[in-house]
């Protein structure tokens, strides 16, 4: 078998090697540029704004606080600024969509807030100037600042600025760490923007649930009001009962105090009467104890049954017809 002979690179034609290397480098550069410009899985849109307001390429594009893309370019077109940005494919921008440049941190970072509104498709993929806004209008700021500057006292302002510069110069060692702390704080806020968006969405869901349960909450509050009102009425009734009971106790106390001199002898007499009755009760009990055997012996002595024949002449015991006449006649 014949074996192919590989020619070393150093032995090849340098012109051809250089030409191939240039072509490969151009292809790689073109691919890098294409990858940086073309967004896979995203949609590209534009928005016309009055001025940049500090917005820069690479900053976030957010929808309701959630990052969904980034700003690709910021270009000047005539008197307006054209912002090119990308949005994830799952988000459709309707024909009434709006855009606004917002400040993200105190150090001047920004983001583009996009609000998908309406149905259909965004015309030409562009949000016009009348549906965009920026944090401030430079012309308005200059005009307002000019009017305010005219109202200021120039000598006094100069003295104030001089004093401020001296204070900053004296505190120069402390200003740097303070600015570093502010920078770290802004970075933390920017890093937690996703969690902040989730928190806002959760708060929105809670607000929706509360709105849906508004009728139930209102009914519950009305029932609670009725319960409180009934408890208040019952409390007033109990208070009146306590007041009346207190008055009755005070009246009984006064009666007992006033009649104590009369009641004490009556109670003593009652005690004596009870003692006498108890003594009579004891005597009667002894009589019954003594009479029981005697009566039993008398009943046994008669011998005619459980009764005793008594012979008593009239009128000690009236005849039966006499009793009927007394009672109005016998039937």
């Amino acid at each position: 078998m014949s074996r192919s002979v590989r020619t070393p690179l150093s032995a090849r034609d340098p012109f051809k090697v250089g030409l191939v290397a240039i072509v490969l480098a151009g292809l790689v550069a073109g691919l890098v540029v294409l990858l940086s410009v073309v967004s896979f899985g995203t949609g590209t849109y534009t928005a016309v704004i009055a001025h940049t307001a500090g917005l820069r390429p690479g900053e976030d594009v957010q929808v309701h606080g959630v990052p969904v893309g980034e700003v690709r370019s910021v270009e000047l077109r005539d008197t307006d600024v054209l912002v090119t940005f990308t949005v994830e494919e799952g988000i459709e921008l309707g024909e009434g969509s709006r855009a606004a440049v917002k400040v993200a941190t105190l150090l001047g970072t920004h983001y583009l807030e996009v609000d998908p509104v309406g149905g259909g498709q965004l015309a030409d993929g562009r949000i016009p100037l009348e549906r965009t806004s920026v944090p401030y209008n430079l012309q308005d700021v200059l005009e307002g600042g000019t009017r305010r500057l005219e109202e200021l006292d120039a000598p006094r302002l100069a003295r104030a600025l001089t004093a401020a510069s001296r204070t900053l110069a004296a505190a120069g060692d402390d200003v740097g760490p303070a600015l570093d702390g502010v920078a770290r704080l802004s970075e933390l806020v920017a890093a937690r923007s996703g969690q902040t968006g989730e928190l806002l969405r959760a708060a929105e869901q809670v607000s929706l649930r509360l709105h849906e349960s508004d009728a139930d909450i209102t009914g519950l509050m009305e029932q609670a009001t009725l319960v409180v009102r009934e408890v208040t009425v019952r409390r007033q009734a109990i208070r009146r009962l306590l007041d009346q009971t207190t008055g009755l106790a005070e009246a009984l106390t006064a009666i007992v105090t006033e009649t104590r001199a009369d009641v004490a002898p009556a109670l003593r007499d009652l005690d004596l009467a009870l003692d006498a009755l108890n003594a009579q009760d004891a005597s009667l009990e002894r009589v019954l104890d003594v009479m029981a055997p005697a009566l039993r012996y008398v009943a046994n002595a008669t011998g005619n049954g459980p009764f005793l024949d008594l012979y008593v002449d009239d009128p000690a015991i009236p005849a039966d017809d006499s009793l009927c006449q007394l009672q109005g006649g016998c039937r």
Side-chain angles (χ1 to χ4, degrees), residues 48-279:
V48 181
I49 58 178
H51 56 86
T52 63
L55 187 67
R56 294 183 295 272
E59 293 185 322
D60 288 341
V61 175
Q62 298 185 8
V63 174
H64 302 307
V66 180
V68 295
E70 68 175 6
V71 177
R72 288 294 185 177
S73 63
V74 179
E75 302 176 359
L76 179 63
R77 295 290 179 88
D78 298 330
T79 58
D80 299 321
V81 176
L82 185 64
V83 178
T84 303
F85 61 94
T86 60
V87 176
E88 295 177 0
E89 282 189 352
I91 299 175
E92 297 292 339
L93 299 185
E95 56 186 3
S97 299
R98 308 181 66 86
V101 179
K102 300 292 184 68
V103 178
T105 63
L106 297 176
L107 296 182
T109 58
H110 302 77
Y111 66 92
L112 184 66
E113 177 72 21
V114 179
D115 184 14
V117 178
Q121 298 291 330
L122 187 63
D124 299 330
R126 173 177 295 190
I127 301 176
L129 180 62
E130 58 269 15
R131 293 206 302 269
T132 62
S133 62
V134 292
Y136 58 88
N137 190 303
L138 185 59
Q139 184 65 29
D140 296 338
V141 172
L142 292 177
E143 292 178 357
T146 302
R147 290 195 300 270
R148 296 295 183 270
L149 287 174
E150 292 176 353
E151 298 174 358
L152 294 177
D153 187 353
R156 183 174 298 178
L157 178 62
R159 290 194 298 269
L161 292 176
T162 302
S165 63
R166 291 175 181 174
T167 303
L168 290 176
D173 296 336
D174 299 330
V175 173
L179 293 177
D180 293 338
V182 173
R184 287 194 296 271
L185 178 62
S186 63
E187 292 174 357
L188 179 61
V189 172
R192 298 294 178 88
S193 61
Q195 298 178 359
T196 304
E198 295 178 358
L199 178 61
L200 292 176
R201 286 195 300 273
E204 183 181 4
Q205 293 296 326
V206 172
S207 300
L208 291 175
R209 295 294 181 271
L210 290 176
H211 180 70
E212 293 174 357
S213 304
D214 182 62
D216 297 336
I217 294 174
T218 302
L220 179 61
M221 294 180 65
E222 292 176 353
Q223 295 177 2
T225 302
L226 294 176
V227 171
V228 171
R229 187 179 303 166
E230 185 65 22
V231 170
T232 303
V233 172
R234 296 295 178 86
R235 180 172 176 269
Q236 293 175 355
I238 293 173
R239 176 172 294 179
R240 288 195 299 271
L241 178 61
L242 291 176
D243 293 340
Q244 295 174 2
T245 304
T246 303
L248 178 60
E250 293 176 353
L252 292 175
T253 302
I255 292 172
V256 171
T257 303
E258 293 175 357
T259 60
R260 182 176 297 173
D262 300 330
V263 172
L267 293 176
R268 285 195 298 271
D269 294 340
L270 182 60
D271 290 337
L272 293 174
L274 291 175
D275 293 338
L277 291 174
N278 289 329

